Amino acid sequence: TDASQQWNGTSASEVSSVSIGNIFLTHESRLFVTGLSAAQNSIYYSQSGDPLDFTGNISASAGQGGIQKFGAEGDQINTLRQWKDKILVGKPDTLWTFQFELDYGTSSETPIAKPLITSESVGPSNNESTIGVDDIMSWVTETKKIKALQESTVEDALNINNLSDTIEPTLNDLNFASAASIYFDRKIFIACRETTAAFNNIVLVYDMKYNAWARFVGWNASSWVIWNNE
C-alpha cells in the first residue's frame, strides 16, 4: 500500500500520479506499471517522455498514457520484460506481447496486445526469473521448467523449448519461488534454492554455446547486476 517513490539524487518522495504496483519497466520513453492488487490483469503506461503523467484520451493520440487489460480477470500479471521491439507480458498460464502501432496519417497510436500462447503453467513464475537474450526470452515456470522463446523467421512463428529437460531430476530438489536470472558472457545464470533452504543458495548456469548446464553451491544471490562488464 506504500506510494510509488521518485529519487532526485538526494532524497526520495512520494509520487501520487504513478499507480502503486510492484513491477516497473521503461520502454520507448514510457514508464509501464503492473502488479496492482486492484487491477491484476492490467498495465498502466505513462505519456511518452513523462513518466509521471499517466493521463490519456479516447482518441489515442500518439504519446498519450493509458491502461491496457490482458485477458479476463484472474491470474495476475507477474512479468513485464522488454523483448526485441515489444514488451513481453507474462501470467502463470499465458504469454502476451504489447506494443504501439502508429498511424502517421492521423497521428493516432493504437496499443496492440497480442496473445502468444495459453497453456497450463507455460508462463513465468516471477519477473526476476525472466530475461531477454538477444532474440531469445528465457524464464522459469511454476512447475520448475526452464523455457526459451524464439521468434522464427517463417511467418512470425514462435518456438518455445524446454532448456531444462536434461537436468529435470536436479530441478525436482530445488525451489524457484524467489528465482533470479541474468544473461552474461553467453550464459544464463539462475539463482534458486534447495527445498530445505530459507534463501537462494544454488546457481544454475546454462552455456548457450555448448548447450550445457553447470551447478554451483553456496552462491547466495537474490538479484543480479552487470557492472563494468563483470
Side-chain angles (χ1 to χ4, degrees):
T1 59
D2 292 340
S4 298
Q5 303 282 317
Q6 67 176 347
W7 179 259
N8 61 13
T10 304
S11 60
S13 58
E14 293 186 358
V15 184
S16 59
S17 61
V18 178
S19 301
I20 303 173
N22 58 16
I23 301 175
F24 296 82
L25 176 71
T26 56
H27 176 68
E28 294 184 348
S29 301
R30 276 186 165 102
L31 176 63
F32 297 79
V33 183
T34 190
L36 289 78
S37 58
Q40 296 185 350
N41 68 330
S42 299
I43 287 176
Y44 290 70
Y45 55 90
S46 73
Q47 292 199 13
S48 181
D50 189 347
L52 302 184
D53 191 344
F54 282 72
T55 59
N57 54 47
I58 296 177
S59 63
S61 300
Q64 293 291 307
I67 304 172
Q68 179 67 45
K69 290 186 176 182
F70 292 82
E73 296 288 350
D75 291 338
Q76 182 171 350
I77 295 172
N78 62 14
T79 300
L80 201 60
R81 291 292 194 185
Q82 182 174 328
W83 182 51
K84 302 175 69 174
D85 60 341
K86 309 176 183 69
I87 292 175
L88 186 76
V89 180
K91 293 183 176 183
D93 297 327
T94 57
L95 284 172
W96 299 67
T97 59
F98 182 55
Q99 62 185 136
F100 294 94
E101 187 175 276
L102 179 63
D103 186 328
Y104 291 96
T106 62
S107 295
S108 63
E109 192 175 45
T110 305
I112 305 294
K114 182 182 297 185
L116 289 178
I117 188 171
T118 299
S119 182
E120 185 177 358
S121 300
V122 73
S125 61
N126 62 64
N127 194 56
E128 291 300 316
S129 75
T130 309
I131 55 170
V133 184
D134 299 326
D135 291 341
I136 300 175
M137 183 68 69
S138 175
W139 67 92
V140 182
T141 72
E142 290 184 338
T143 54
K144 303 182 181 182
K145 304 290 186 182
I146 301 171
K147 293 184 176 290
L149 167 69
Q150 187 170 20
E151 196 168 36
S152 172
T153 56
V154 181
E155 298 181 353
D156 293 329
L158 293 171
N159 298 320
I160 297 182
N161 301 311
N162 284 328
L163 299 180
S164 55
D165 283 346
T166 58
I167 60 168
E168 188 168 336
T170 298
L171 301 185
N172 291 335
D173 295 327
L174 299 176
N175 185 311
F176 292 89
S178 301
S181 303
I182 197 170
Y183 173 72
F184 178 71
D185 193 27
R186 300 189 67 182
K187 299 175 182 66
I188 299 174
F189 295 76
I190 304 172
C192 55
R193 58 186 168 96
E194 296 171 304
T195 54
T196 56
F199 48 81
N200 289 345
N201 63 343
I202 300 290
V203 171
L204 302 175
V205 181
Y206 180 70
D207 191 311
M208 300 189 67
K209 180 179 179 180
Y210 298 103
N211 296 323
W213 285 96
R215 180 176 184 266
F216 296 90
V217 179
W219 291 16
N220 307 133
S222 59
S223 62
W224 302 93
V225 66
I226 297 173
W227 178 258
N228 198 26
N229 202 32
E230 296 180 348

